[in-house]
Amino acid sequence: MAFTTFLLDFVRRFSFSFGNQLAHVTTYTRELPINLDRMYENAIDWEHLPFLHSSSFSHIEVIESGDWGWKAKANLTPKSRFNSMVLELRLDKSKNRWITKTLSGLGKGTEIWTHAIPIEKNKIKVIVDFYVPKLPSFLKDKYASLYSAQYAQLYDEDLWMMASRQEQLDKLAKAKTTAIQTELSLGKLSEVQANLPLKFEFNHQSYRLIEMGDTLIAHTLSCPHMLGPLNDADVKEGILECPWHGYQFDLKTRKCISGQRCKLAPAPLIKIDTNKMEVVALAAKG
Ligand code: FES
Ligand SMILES: [Fe+2]
């Protein structure tokens, strides 16, 4: 994908063409079963590009960011000096839209205008228009299919993130209104050991039981940053990495070790009832 993009951009820039005007290349539309809050949150979240969209972006370095949007230096995948670019995204909630511009590098001058229209409580429609400067007509179809395919994939990935986050937020809201259970049997020790890593639900939260050294410990399956799923994150030397923005956590201390200010939520304490040879989860304190 990155090489095709580079090649197309090279041909475009060196093709003979009148003027510098932006040509409308294509429109991508899609209905998404999420609300506008999740969509806006996703648009201004520059950090997820090289993690959630790792097959499209390999690197990002923010220059400035805020509620207005962000400006960052990014690279396509695989990273090379030929596919770096400075991108700027500006969100305008009053017009239900954000505009992404390529300020320099690969695809300089390209603009992508996205409108997000609420249809129902948890349903929106996104309408994405792509504009490319100095586009010779013989390249228009190539650009159109490239953008459509890339945005279909980006929105598949974003939808996974936005829908899972909403599910986690709903679960948290529900947990606040129900009574706390103090302990939960996870089963016979031999069966539990045979089924590790073992996922379980306790007080409306999801956890995973793993073995570290010769100790059984539980950890939350919800990342403290934006509730990303830690379900399938590999644990290497007691460290796991969240798939959405790459924050890393030490499971023993629960601390974030990749530099961000957050910490894993406490998980239930794991006790082995030696009389019954049973594994029991006890509600965490604080
Ligand atoms: S949700 Fe952002 S790093 Fe986990
Ligand atoms: Fe995204």
Side-chain angles (χ1 to χ4, degrees):
M1 177 74 87
F3 182 69
T4 316
T5 312
F6 169 75
L7 204 64
L8 281 178
D9 197 54
F10 185 83
V11 176
R12 176 187 65 83
R13 279 186 295 129
F14 292 100
S15 294
F16 178 76
S17 148
F18 293 107
N20 256 331
Q21 75 279 19
L22 285 170
H24 180 255
V25 176
T26 191
T27 303
Y28 173 81
T29 59
R30 179 158 174 181
E31 286 187 6
L32 298 166
I34 43 116
N35 59 39
L36 262 185
D37 288 344
R38 294 290 80 73
M39 190 68 255
Y40 287 151
E41 191 177 73
N42 177 277
I44 62 167
D45 174 9
W46 55 271
E47 256 184 313
H48 76 274
L49 297 190
F51 292 95
L52 188 73
H53 305 308
S54 58
S55 59
S56 306
F57 294 94
S58 59
H59 178 77
I60 195 152
E61 228 174 282
V62 72
I63 298 165
E64 49 181 319
S65 67
D67 290 344
W68 58 271
W70 50 266
K71 184 162 137 185
K73 193 170 171 231
N75 285 81
L76 297 184
T77 302
K79 191 175 180 215
S80 114
R81 66 192 174 95
F82 300 112
N83 64 26
S84 90
M85 57 191 104
V86 174
L87 298 173
E88 180 193 75
L89 181 145
R90 284 193 176 269
L91 175 65
D92 184 349
K93 288 188 185 177
S94 70
K95 294 193 171 74
N96 281 63
R97 77 176 181 211
W98 56 98
I99 301 168
T100 313
K101 292 184 180 177
T102 307
L103 302 182
S104 63
L106 185 70
K108 183 181 170 190
T110 298
E111 293 188 12
I112 300 171
W113 291 49
T114 305
H115 287 84
I117 315 295
I119 300 175
E120 287 166 20
K121 188 167 167 252
N122 280 315
K123 196 174 193 183
I124 62 166
K125 181 174 188 173
V126 286
I127 303 160
V128 191
D129 287 291
F130 302 88
Y131 300 91
V132 174
K134 284 185 71 191
L135 186 67
S137 52
F138 71 92
L139 282 182
K140 193 178 168 194
D141 289 350
K142 284 260 176 295
Y143 267 80
S145 53
L146 195 78
Y147 276 130
S148 299
Q150 187 172 29
Y151 267 62
Q153 181 177 343
L154 293 175
Y155 272 104
D156 282 350
E157 292 161 348
D158 280 333
L159 179 58
W160 171 57
M161 174 161 143
M162 293 185 286
S164 329
R165 176 162 159 73
Q166 189 61 54
E167 207 177 295
Q168 289 300 315
L169 288 168
D170 294 344
K171 228 168 150 186
L172 279 178
K174 196 170 174 196
K176 282 190 185 139
T177 62
T178 45
I180 300 281
Q181 201 183 338
T182 52
E183 64 175 71
L184 172 76
S185 169
L186 299 179
K188 291 283 174 207
L189 179 60
S190 55
E191 284 166 21
V192 166
Q193 278 173 325
N195 287 310
L196 292 176
L198 180 77
K199 290 171 192 164
F200 65 97
E201 292 278 312
F202 191 33
N203 289 324
H204 295 290
Q205 294 300 303
S206 308
Y207 299 97
R208 180 166 68 168
L209 185 71
I210 57 166
E211 195 157 38
M212 268 175 59
D214 48 12
T215 313
L216 289 175
I217 69 155
H219 71 83
T220 173
L221 291 185
S222 197
C223 175
H225 175 219
M226 284 177 71
L227 309 177
L230 303 175
N231 314 25
D232 300 316
D234 288 339
V235 178
K236 287 188 194 125
E237 296 174 18
I239 310 291
L240 61 68
E241 182 178 290
C242 177
W244 285 359
H245 307 89
Y247 290 17
Q248 294 175 338
F249 300 93
D250 181 328
L251 290 183
K252 270 204 183 123
T253 61
R254 297 190 280 115
K255 285 185 182 158
C256 177
I257 56 155
S258 46
Q260 296 82 7
R261 287 166 64 90
C262 55
K263 194 173 182 181
L264 289 176
L269 290 173
I270 300 300
K271 186 184 86 175
I272 296 177
D273 181 332
T274 45
N275 290 327
K276 297 187 198 161
M277 288 312 278
E278 206 171 83
V279 182
V280 181
L282 303 173
K285 295 190 181 78

